[in-house]
Amino acid sequence: MARSAPTRAAPRRPGFARCLSSGSMTAQTTVPRLASFTCAGARLELPLMPASDPDSSARAAADRATALALAAGAFAVYAAGACRTIYVGDSGELVAAVHTLGIPHPSGYPLYVLLGKLWTVLVPLGSVAFRMSLFSALCAALAVGLVYLAARALAVGRVAAAAAAVLFAASPSFWGEANVQRVYALNALFVALATLLALQWDAAVSEDKDVHRRERLFVGTALVCGVGAANHTFLAVWGALFLLFALVRDRGLVRRWRTLIAAGGAALLGLSFYGFLFFRSRQEPRLDWGDPETPGALWAVITRRDFWPRKWLSGPGDLLPIARDFFSSFAVELTWAGALLALAG
């Protein structure tokens, strides 16, 4: 009987752990975040995660905690003095619009009406007027926290950034809007948020590392401007100025048409809140300023065509008093000491 030849075992390749212990493994980074390992002729590619900076994470966490503390302190102060009844000016009209889901004077302020209605339902504390005063207090307090974060984004020290936020919180005009039923506290919140995102975008452009993060910040800023403009049209002007700045700051942006289209779509998505005026007007609410049931009437309400005939600038002669009022307001809002510190900074 013929004896079969003994089978030879295939030569064993050293295992991955043996390569590590024997030092027979060579590593070579082929592309960013990808490492190629060669062990006894076998090649293995593993993704590499970028190393996180614990100091940077700790600083960011500390900044968020400080911003939250500043916002909480500001809210406590504003809420303590919140107006418990109807304030002067257009506050009565705005409270009525929130309560009845109506349409106040142009530009209609649909975001304020919708958010205000939601707030008054979720916070059944006191009268509707008092609830809307608390809503302004919350928006203003959040804006204070965002001002601190914006200052930190400019590489301002923590103490100086906190001082800037407190000075902003205590400025007379801002404080005067922080506890009454008006749209300006919500507007300040969106301006502060858009400014913070714009500063983060600018920093991302300077670093020139994460292109996707830079584009997300750009589109996010456009979205905030669109949504904020549904509360006050000032954010539309702010957004247009930011676009001009972005095109100058990032010369390659004009060639990234997908990013521009995405930003435009995000802004239009935010502005879509104005559709509330069109559909709500067709339901004949008790308060229906301008009756924006047609596209033409809706545009007239949004642009204040028939509401504000007075021109902001009638001629060159208006420039001097406007400039005088603007610069004199620094002493009123910041005191002379604060104004001098601002100039020194």
Side-chain angles (χ1 to χ4, degrees):
M1 181 176 180
R3 183 179 295 179
S4 60
T7 58
R8 292 185 178 181
R12 296 179 59 189
R13 291 184 176 181
F16 188 74
R18 187 178 302 177
C19 288
L20 289 175
S21 61
S22 63
S24 61
M25 181 179 67
T26 60
Q28 180 182 4
T29 302
T30 57
V31 294
R33 300 186 183 182
L34 188 66
S36 174
F37 297 92
T38 303
C39 178
R43 186 174 180 178
L44 178 65
E45 290 184 344
L46 296 175
L48 293 179
M49 297 300 294
S52 59
D53 184 0
D55 293 336
S56 177
S57 300
R59 286 194 299 268
D63 285 338
R64 288 193 295 268
T66 304
L68 184 61
L70 288 169
F75 178 76
V77 173
Y78 296 151
C83 183
R84 295 181 174 271
T85 185
I86 298 296
Y87 191 61
V88 298
D90 52 13
S91 294
E93 177 201 11
L94 291 171
V95 171
V98 168
H99 186 56
T100 63
L101 281 180
I103 300 173
H105 68 274
S107 58
Y109 311 104
L111 186 68
Y112 180 85
V113 171
L114 292 172
L115 290 181
K117 183 64 175 180
L118 179 63
W119 172 264
T120 57
V121 171
L122 296 178
V123 185
L125 183 64
S127 65
V128 175
F130 179 60
R131 296 177 210 175
M132 290 309 297
S133 296
L134 292 179
F135 177 70
S136 293
L138 176 64
C139 294
L142 292 175
V144 170
L146 290 174
V147 166
Y148 169 81
L149 293 177
R152 290 291 290 150
L154 289 170
V156 176
R158 283 199 180 93
V159 175
V166 171
L167 196 61
F168 170 72
S171 58
S173 293
F174 183 74
W175 195 338
E177 299 293 338
N179 48 21
V180 296
Q181 315 97 19
R182 287 160 68 92
V183 301
Y184 300 111
L186 181 59
N187 182 61
L189 172 60
F190 276 98
V191 171
L193 179 57
T195 302
L196 175 60
L197 291 176
L199 290 173
Q200 292 176 344
W201 172 84
D202 182 68
V205 172
S206 299
E207 294 172 359
D208 196 22
K209 292 181 180 180
D210 193 342
V211 177
H212 295 293
R213 180 175 182 271
R214 182 172 63 192
E215 293 181 348
R216 287 195 302 269
L217 288 170
F218 182 76
V219 174
T221 304
L223 177 62
V224 170
C225 289
V227 175
N231 171 67
H232 198 288
T233 50
F234 172 78
L235 262 296
V237 178
W238 195 102
L241 293 176
F242 170 70
L243 176 60
L244 293 177
F245 168 76
L247 292 173
V248 174
R249 180 71 174 86
D250 185 3
R251 299 298 178 87
L253 181 61
V254 70
R255 295 189 298 271
R256 296 196 296 274
W257 56 271
R258 288 187 177 88
T259 302
L260 293 174
I261 291 177
L268 290 176
L269 179 63
L271 289 170
S272 65
F273 279 101
Y274 277 106
F276 164 77
L277 304 180
F278 179 82
F279 293 106
R280 180 57 177 156
S281 179
R282 289 174 171 266
Q283 297 174 348
E284 302 298 336
R286 295 180 180 179
L287 182 59
D288 191 9
W289 195 300
D291 198 23
E293 296 182 7
T294 64
L298 176 63
W299 182 249
V301 169
I302 295 174
T303 59
R304 305 184 177 202
R305 187 180 64 195
D306 302 323
F307 175 72
W308 196 260
R310 177 180 175 272
K311 295 182 179 180
W312 290 106
L313 187 65
S314 299
D318 291 342
L319 293 176
L320 183 60
I322 290 175
R324 183 176 61 248
D325 291 342
F326 175 77
F327 288 107
S328 63
S329 67
F330 280 87
V332 176
E333 301 297 330
L334 307 177
T335 72
W336 283 110
L340 292 175
L341 287 174
L343 291 175

Short mmCIF file of all heavy atoms in Angstrom, two decimals, residues 210-253:
data_model
loop_
_atom_site.label_atom_id
_atom_site.label_comp_id
_atom_site.label_asym_id
_atom_site.label_seq_id
_atom_site.Cartn_x
_atom_site.Cartn_y
_atom_site.Cartn_z
N ASP A 210 -10.55 72.95 7.42
CA ASP A 210 -11.78 72.18 7.24
C ASP A 210 -12.73 72.97 6.32
O ASP A 210 -13.45 73.87 6.77
CB ASP A 210 -12.43 71.92 8.60
CG ASP A 210 -13.53 70.87 8.52
OD1 ASP A 210 -14.01 70.61 7.40
OD2 ASP A 210 -13.90 70.31 9.56
N VAL A 211 -12.72 72.63 5.04
CA VAL A 211 -13.55 73.35 4.08
C VAL A 211 -15.03 73.12 4.35
O VAL A 211 -15.85 74.03 4.23
CB VAL A 211 -13.19 72.93 2.64
CG1 VAL A 211 -14.09 73.63 1.64
CG2 VAL A 211 -11.73 73.25 2.35
N HIS A 212 -15.38 71.89 4.74
CA HIS A 212 -16.78 71.57 4.98
C HIS A 212 -17.33 72.37 6.16
O HIS A 212 -18.47 72.85 6.12
CB HIS A 212 -16.94 70.07 5.22
CG HIS A 212 -16.58 69.23 4.04
ND1 HIS A 212 -17.32 69.24 2.87
CD2 HIS A 212 -15.56 68.36 3.82
CE1 HIS A 212 -16.78 68.41 1.99
NE2 HIS A 212 -15.71 67.87 2.54
N ARG A 213 -16.54 72.52 7.21
CA ARG A 213 -16.99 73.32 8.35
C ARG A 213 -17.17 74.77 7.95
O ARG A 213 -18.14 75.43 8.35
CB ARG A 213 -15.98 73.22 9.50
CG ARG A 213 -16.38 74.04 10.73
CD ARG A 213 -15.42 73.80 11.88
NE ARG A 213 -15.83 74.54 13.05
CZ ARG A 213 -15.45 75.79 13.33
NH1 ARG A 213 -14.64 76.42 12.48
NH2 ARG A 213 -15.86 76.40 14.42
N ARG A 214 -16.28 75.27 7.13
CA ARG A 214 -16.38 76.65 6.66
C ARG A 214 -17.67 76.86 5.87
O ARG A 214 -18.37 77.86 6.05
CB ARG A 214 -15.16 76.98 5.81
CG ARG A 214 -15.12 78.41 5.30
CD ARG A 214 -13.79 78.67 4.65
NE ARG A 214 -13.57 77.83 3.49
CZ ARG A 214 -12.40 77.70 2.87
NH1 ARG A 214 -11.35 78.34 3.32
NH2 ARG A 214 -12.29 76.93 1.81
N GLU A 215 -18.00 75.91 5.03
CA GLU A 215 -19.22 76.03 4.23
C GLU A 215 -20.47 75.90 5.10
O GLU A 215 -21.47 76.58 4.87
CB GLU A 215 -19.21 74.99 3.11
CG GLU A 215 -18.12 75.25 2.07
CD GLU A 215 -18.14 74.23 0.96
OE1 GLU A 215 -18.84 73.20 1.12
OE2 GLU A 215 -17.46 74.45 -0.06
N ARG A 216 -20.40 75.02 6.10
CA ARG A 216 -21.55 74.89 7.01
C ARG A 216 -21.80 76.18 7.77
O ARG A 216 -22.95 76.59 7.95
CB ARG A 216 -21.32 73.73 7.99
CG ARG A 216 -21.43 72.34 7.37
CD ARG A 216 -21.57 71.29 8.46
NE ARG A 216 -20.46 71.32 9.39
CZ ARG A 216 -19.34 70.61 9.25
NH1 ARG A 216 -19.19 69.82 8.19
NH2 ARG A 216 -18.38 70.68 10.15
N LEU A 217 -20.74 76.82 8.21
CA LEU A 217 -20.89 78.08 8.93
C LEU A 217 -21.45 79.17 8.02
O LEU A 217 -22.27 80.00 8.45
CB LEU A 217 -19.54 78.51 9.51
CG LEU A 217 -19.03 77.71 10.70
CD1 LEU A 217 -17.59 78.07 11.02
CD2 LEU A 217 -19.92 77.93 11.92
N PHE A 218 -21.02 79.19 6.77
CA PHE A 218 -21.51 80.19 5.83
C PHE A 218 -23.01 80.00 5.57
O PHE A 218 -23.79 80.96 5.63
CB PHE A 218 -20.73 80.09 4.52
CG PHE A 218 -21.13 81.10 3.49
CD1 PHE A 218 -20.73 82.42 3.60
CD2 PHE A 218 -21.91 80.74 2.41
CE1 PHE A 218 -21.11 83.37 2.65
CE2 PHE A 218 -22.29 81.67 1.46
CZ PHE A 218 -21.89 82.99 1.58
N VAL A 219 -23.41 78.76 5.32
CA VAL A 219 -24.82 78.48 5.08
C VAL A 219 -25.63 78.72 6.35
O VAL A 219 -26.76 79.24 6.31
CB VAL A 219 -25.00 77.04 4.56
CG1 VAL A 219 -26.47 76.68 4.44
CG2 VAL A 219 -24.30 76.87 3.21
N GLY A 220 -25.07 78.35 7.50
CA GLY A 220 -25.77 78.57 8.76
C GLY A 220 -25.99 80.05 9.04
O GLY A 220 -27.06 80.44 9.54
N THR A 221 -25.01 80.87 8.71
CA THR A 221 -25.18 82.32 8.88
C THR A 221 -26.30 82.84 7.99
O THR A 221 -27.12 83.68 8.41
CB THR A 221 -23.87 83.05 8.56
OG1 THR A 221 -22.82 82.52 9.37
CG2 THR A 221 -24.00 84.53 8.83
N ALA A 222 -26.36 82.34 6.76
CA ALA A 222 -27.44 82.76 5.85
C ALA A 222 -28.80 82.34 6.39
O ALA A 222 -29.78 83.10 6.30
CB ALA A 222 -27.20 82.15 4.47
N LEU A 223 -28.88 81.14 6.96
CA LEU A 223 -30.15 80.67 7.53
C LEU A 223 -30.58 81.56 8.69
O LEU A 223 -31.76 81.94 8.79
CB LEU A 223 -30.01 79.23 7.99
CG LEU A 223 -31.23 78.62 8.68
CD1 LEU A 223 -32.43 78.58 7.73
CD2 LEU A 223 -30.92 77.22 9.20
N VAL A 224 -29.65 81.89 9.57
CA VAL A 224 -29.98 82.75 10.71
C VAL A 224 -30.44 84.12 10.23
O VAL A 224 -31.39 84.69 10.79
CB VAL A 224 -28.76 82.87 11.64
CG1 VAL A 224 -28.98 83.95 12.70
CG2 VAL A 224 -28.48 81.53 12.32
N CYS A 225 -29.80 84.64 9.20
CA CYS A 225 -30.23 85.94 8.66
C CYS A 225 -31.64 85.87 8.09
O CYS A 225 -32.46 86.78 8.29
CB CYS A 225 -29.25 86.41 7.59
SG CYS A 225 -27.65 86.93 8.23
N GLY A 226 -31.94 84.78 7.38
CA GLY A 226 -33.28 84.64 6.82
C GLY A 226 -34.35 84.51 7.88
O GLY A 226 -35.39 85.18 7.82
N VAL A 227 -34.09 83.67 8.88
CA VAL A 227 -35.06 83.51 9.96
C VAL A 227 -35.20 84.81 10.75
O VAL A 227 -36.31 85.24 11.08
CB VAL A 227 -34.65 82.35 10.89
CG1 VAL A 227 -35.60 82.24 12.08
CG2 VAL A 227 -34.63 81.03 10.13
N GLY A 228 -34.07 85.45 11.05
CA GLY A 228 -34.12 86.70 11.80
C GLY A 228 -34.84 87.80 11.05
O GLY A 228 -35.52 88.64 11.65
N ALA A 229 -34.71 87.81 9.72
CA ALA A 229 -35.41 88.83 8.92
C ALA A 229 -36.91 88.64 8.96
O ALA A 229 -37.66 89.59 8.67
CB ALA A 229 -34.91 88.79 7.48
N ALA A 230 -37.38 87.44 9.31
CA ALA A 230 -38.81 87.22 9.48
C ALA A 230 -39.32 87.83 10.77
O ALA A 230 -40.53 87.90 10.99
CB ALA A 230 -39.13 85.72 9.45
N ASN A 231 -38.40 88.26 11.62
CA ASN A 231 -38.79 89.03 12.80
C ASN A 231 -38.60 90.53 12.56
O ASN A 231 -39.49 91.32 12.83
CB ASN A 231 -37.96 88.62 14.01
CG ASN A 231 -38.18 89.53 15.21
OD1 ASN A 231 -39.26 89.56 15.78
ND2 ASN A 231 -37.15 90.29 15.58
N HIS A 232 -37.43 90.89 12.03
CA HIS A 232 -37.16 92.29 11.71
C HIS A 232 -36.29 92.33 10.46
O HIS A 232 -35.30 91.60 10.36
CB HIS A 232 -36.44 92.97 12.88
CG HIS A 232 -36.51 94.47 12.83
ND1 HIS A 232 -35.80 95.21 11.91
CD2 HIS A 232 -37.22 95.35 13.57
CE1 HIS A 232 -36.06 96.49 12.10
NE2 HIS A 232 -36.92 96.62 13.10
N THR A 233 -36.66 93.18 9.52
CA THR A 233 -35.98 93.21 8.23
C THR A 233 -34.54 93.71 8.32
O THR A 233 -33.81 93.65 7.33
CB THR A 233 -36.76 94.09 7.24
OG1 THR A 233 -37.04 95.37 7.85
CG2 THR A 233 -38.08 93.44 6.87
N PHE A 234 -34.13 94.18 9.48
CA PHE A 234 -32.73 94.59 9.64
C PHE A 234 -31.78 93.44 9.32
O PHE A 234 -30.69 93.64 8.79
CB PHE A 234 -32.48 95.09 11.07
CG PHE A 234 -31.03 95.35 11.36
CD1 PHE A 234 -30.42 96.51 10.91
CD2 PHE A 234 -30.27 94.44 12.08
CE1 PHE A 234 -29.07 96.75 11.16
CE2 PHE A 234 -28.93 94.67 12.34
CZ PHE A 234 -28.33 95.83 11.89
N LEU A 235 -32.20 92.20 9.64
CA LEU A 235 -31.33 91.06 9.38
C LEU A 235 -31.11 90.83 7.90
O LEU A 235 -30.09 90.26 7.50
CB LEU A 235 -31.91 89.80 10.03
CG LEU A 235 -31.35 89.40 11.40
CD1 LEU A 235 -29.88 89.03 11.32
CD2 LEU A 235 -31.57 90.50 12.42
N ALA A 236 -32.04 91.28 7.05
CA ALA A 236 -31.82 91.18 5.61
C ALA A 236 -30.69 92.10 5.18
O ALA A 236 -29.84 91.73 4.36
CB ALA A 236 -33.11 91.52 4.86
N VAL A 237 -30.65 93.30 5.75
CA VAL A 237 -29.55 94.23 5.46
C VAL A 237 -28.24 93.66 6.00
O VAL A 237 -27.20 93.70 5.33
CB VAL A 237 -29.85 95.61 6.07
CG1 VAL A 237 -28.70 96.57 5.83
CG2 VAL A 237 -31.15 96.16 5.52
N TRP A 238 -28.28 93.12 7.20
CA TRP A 238 -27.09 92.52 7.81
C TRP A 238 -26.57 91.38 6.93
O TRP A 238 -25.36 91.26 6.69
CB TRP A 238 -27.43 92.00 9.20
CG TRP A 238 -26.25 91.67 10.07
CD1 TRP A 238 -25.74 92.42 11.08
CD2 TRP A 238 -25.43 90.49 10.00
NE1 TRP A 238 -24.66 91.78 11.64
CE2 TRP A 238 -24.45 90.59 11.00
CE3 TRP A 238 -25.44 89.36 9.20
CZ2 TRP A 238 -23.48 89.62 11.22
CZ3 TRP A 238 -24.47 88.38 9.40
CH2 TRP A 238 -23.52 88.51 10.40
N GLY A 239 -27.48 90.55 6.44
CA GLY A 239 -27.09 89.42 5.61
C GLY A 239 -26.47 89.87 4.29
O GLY A 239 -25.50 89.26 3.81
N ALA A 240 -27.01 90.92 3.68
CA ALA A 240 -26.45 91.43 2.43
C ALA A 240 -25.03 91.95 2.65
O ALA A 240 -24.13 91.71 1.83
CB ALA A 240 -27.35 92.52 1.87
N LEU A 241 -24.81 92.65 3.75
CA LEU A 241 -23.46 93.15 4.05
C LEU A 241 -22.50 92.00 4.34
O LEU A 241 -21.33 92.04 3.94
CB LEU A 241 -23.52 94.10 5.24
CG LEU A 241 -24.27 95.41 5.01
CD1 LEU A 241 -24.34 96.23 6.29
CD2 LEU A 241 -23.61 96.23 3.90
N PHE A 242 -22.99 90.96 5.01
CA PHE A 242 -22.13 89.80 5.27
C PHE A 242 -21.75 89.11 3.96
O PHE A 242 -20.61 88.66 3.80
CB PHE A 242 -22.85 88.81 6.19
CG PHE A 242 -22.13 87.49 6.32
CD1 PHE A 242 -20.92 87.41 6.99
CD2 PHE A 242 -22.65 86.35 5.74
CE1 PHE A 242 -20.25 86.19 7.10
CE2 PHE A 242 -22.00 85.14 5.84
CZ PHE A 242 -20.79 85.06 6.53
N LEU A 243 -22.67 89.02 3.02
CA LEU A 243 -22.36 88.40 1.73
C LEU A 243 -21.26 89.18 1.01
O LEU A 243 -20.32 88.58 0.46
CB LEU A 243 -23.62 88.33 0.87
CG LEU A 243 -23.43 87.78 -0.55
CD1 LEU A 243 -22.89 86.36 -0.51
CD2 LEU A 243 -24.74 87.85 -1.32
N LEU A 244 -21.36 90.50 1.01
CA LEU A 244 -20.31 91.31 0.38
C LEU A 244 -18.97 91.09 1.07
O LEU A 244 -17.93 90.95 0.42
CB LEU A 244 -20.70 92.78 0.42
CG LEU A 244 -21.91 93.19 -0.43
CD1 LEU A 244 -22.23 94.67 -0.22
CD2 LEU A 244 -21.66 92.90 -1.90
N PHE A 245 -18.99 91.07 2.39
CA PHE A 245 -17.75 90.82 3.13
C PHE A 245 -17.18 89.45 2.81
O PHE A 245 -15.96 89.29 2.63
CB PHE A 245 -18.03 90.94 4.63
CG PHE A 245 -16.92 90.42 5.50
CD1 PHE A 245 -15.75 91.16 5.67
CD2 PHE A 245 -17.03 89.19 6.13
CE1 PHE A 245 -14.72 90.68 6.46
CE2 PHE A 245 -16.00 88.70 6.92
CZ PHE A 245 -14.84 89.45 7.08
N ALA A 246 -18.06 88.44 2.73
CA ALA A 246 -17.59 87.08 2.47
C ALA A 246 -16.96 86.95 1.09
O ALA A 246 -15.95 86.26 0.91
CB ALA A 246 -18.76 86.10 2.61
N LEU A 247 -17.54 87.62 0.10
CA LEU A 247 -16.99 87.55 -1.25
C LEU A 247 -15.61 88.21 -1.33
O LEU A 247 -14.75 87.78 -2.11
CB LEU A 247 -17.94 88.21 -2.24
CG LEU A 247 -19.28 87.49 -2.47
CD1 LEU A 247 -20.20 88.32 -3.34
CD2 LEU A 247 -19.05 86.12 -3.09
N VAL A 248 -15.39 89.23 -0.53
CA VAL A 248 -14.08 89.87 -0.49
C VAL A 248 -13.10 89.06 0.35
O VAL A 248 -11.93 88.90 -0.01
CB VAL A 248 -14.20 91.31 0.05
CG1 VAL A 248 -12.82 91.95 0.23
CG2 VAL A 248 -15.05 92.15 -0.88
N ARG A 249 -13.59 88.52 1.45
CA ARG A 249 -12.73 87.77 2.38
C ARG A 249 -12.27 86.45 1.78
O ARG A 249 -11.12 86.04 1.94
CB ARG A 249 -13.50 87.51 3.68
CG ARG A 249 -12.72 86.75 4.74
CD ARG A 249 -11.64 87.61 5.33
NE ARG A 249 -10.99 86.94 6.43
CZ ARG A 249 -9.98 86.08 6.31
NH1 ARG A 249 -9.50 85.80 5.10
NH2 ARG A 249 -9.43 85.52 7.37
N ASP A 250 -13.17 85.76 1.10
CA ASP A 250 -12.86 84.46 0.51
C ASP A 250 -13.06 84.58 -1.00
O ASP A 250 -14.17 84.40 -1.50
CB ASP A 250 -13.77 83.38 1.11
CG ASP A 250 -13.43 81.99 0.62
OD1 ASP A 250 -12.45 81.84 -0.13
OD2 ASP A 250 -14.15 81.04 0.98
N ARG A 251 -11.99 84.89 -1.70
CA ARG A 251 -12.10 85.16 -3.14
C ARG A 251 -12.58 83.94 -3.93
O ARG A 251 -13.16 84.07 -5.00
CB ARG A 251 -10.75 85.63 -3.68
CG ARG A 251 -10.25 86.92 -3.05
CD ARG A 251 -11.20 88.06 -3.32
NE ARG A 251 -10.79 89.30 -2.69
CZ ARG A 251 -9.96 90.18 -3.23
NH1 ARG A 251 -9.43 89.95 -4.42
NH2 ARG A 251 -9.64 91.29 -2.59
N GLY A 252 -12.32 82.75 -3.41
CA GLY A 252 -12.76 81.55 -4.11
C GLY A 252 -14.23 81.23 -3.93
O GLY A 252 -14.75 80.32 -4.59
N LEU A 253 -14.91 81.97 -3.06
CA LEU A 253 -16.31 81.68 -2.80
C LEU A 253 -17.18 81.89 -4.03
O LEU A 253 -18.15 81.17 -4.25
CB LEU A 253 -16.81 82.57 -1.65
CG LEU A 253 -18.27 82.40 -1.22
CD1 LEU A 253 -18.52 80.98 -0.72
CD2 LEU A 253 -18.62 83.41 -0.13
#
